[in-house]
Amino acid sequence: MHIRGDHAELVVGGRLDVRSAADARTVLHSAVDDGAGDLVLDLTELNSWDATGLGVIMGAHRRAGRAGRRLVLRGVPPQMQRLLVATRLHRILTIEGGIAADSLPRV
């Protein structure tokens, strides 16, 4: 996993999972604490995430809210969009451009 950027926009790449969660949490919390306004997480380079990684994102979302900021996800890959829809987290998280219609579960 790699994260680059500043307190306004971060690009997250690789795998966000149990092995990288602690490092990711530290970087995201610092970015939230040191900035103002929206914090954009660009996920276009993210290959995968597991439940722990998703928990890191949710923790950053809560921390941003407590700091009067908003966490915005950008470039969420389609397979991760499906997970957000399945868990209904797409209703809680701010996703730039919304969720693509073809990522919704089939009924």
Side-chain angles (χ1 to χ4, degrees), residues 15-98:
R15 297 174 55 113
L16 183 54
D17 57 19
V18 69
R19 288 174 292 201
S20 60
D23 292 337
R25 186 177 298 109
T26 299
V27 172
L28 292 175
H29 286 188
S30 292
V32 168
D33 295 345
D34 295 342
D38 289 352
L39 172 59
V40 177
L41 289 186
D42 185 329
L43 304 179
T44 54
E45 296 179 17
L46 191 62
N47 298 326
S48 65
W49 61 17
D50 65 7
T52 305
L54 189 53
V56 170
I57 299 287
M58 290 307 299
H61 165 76
R62 286 189 299 274
R63 190 177 188 105
R66 287 192 303 268
R69 299 185 71 186
R70 188 172 69 143
L71 184 72
V72 179
L73 303 182
R74 174 184 292 157
V76 181
Q79 69 274 20
M80 292 171 215
Q81 289 184 18
R82 285 189 287 278
L83 178 61
L84 292 175
V85 169
T87 58
R88 298 183 185 255
L89 292 175
H90 72 293
R91 296 179 179 191
I92 297 169
L93 295 166
T94 303
I95 302 166
E96 190 175 86

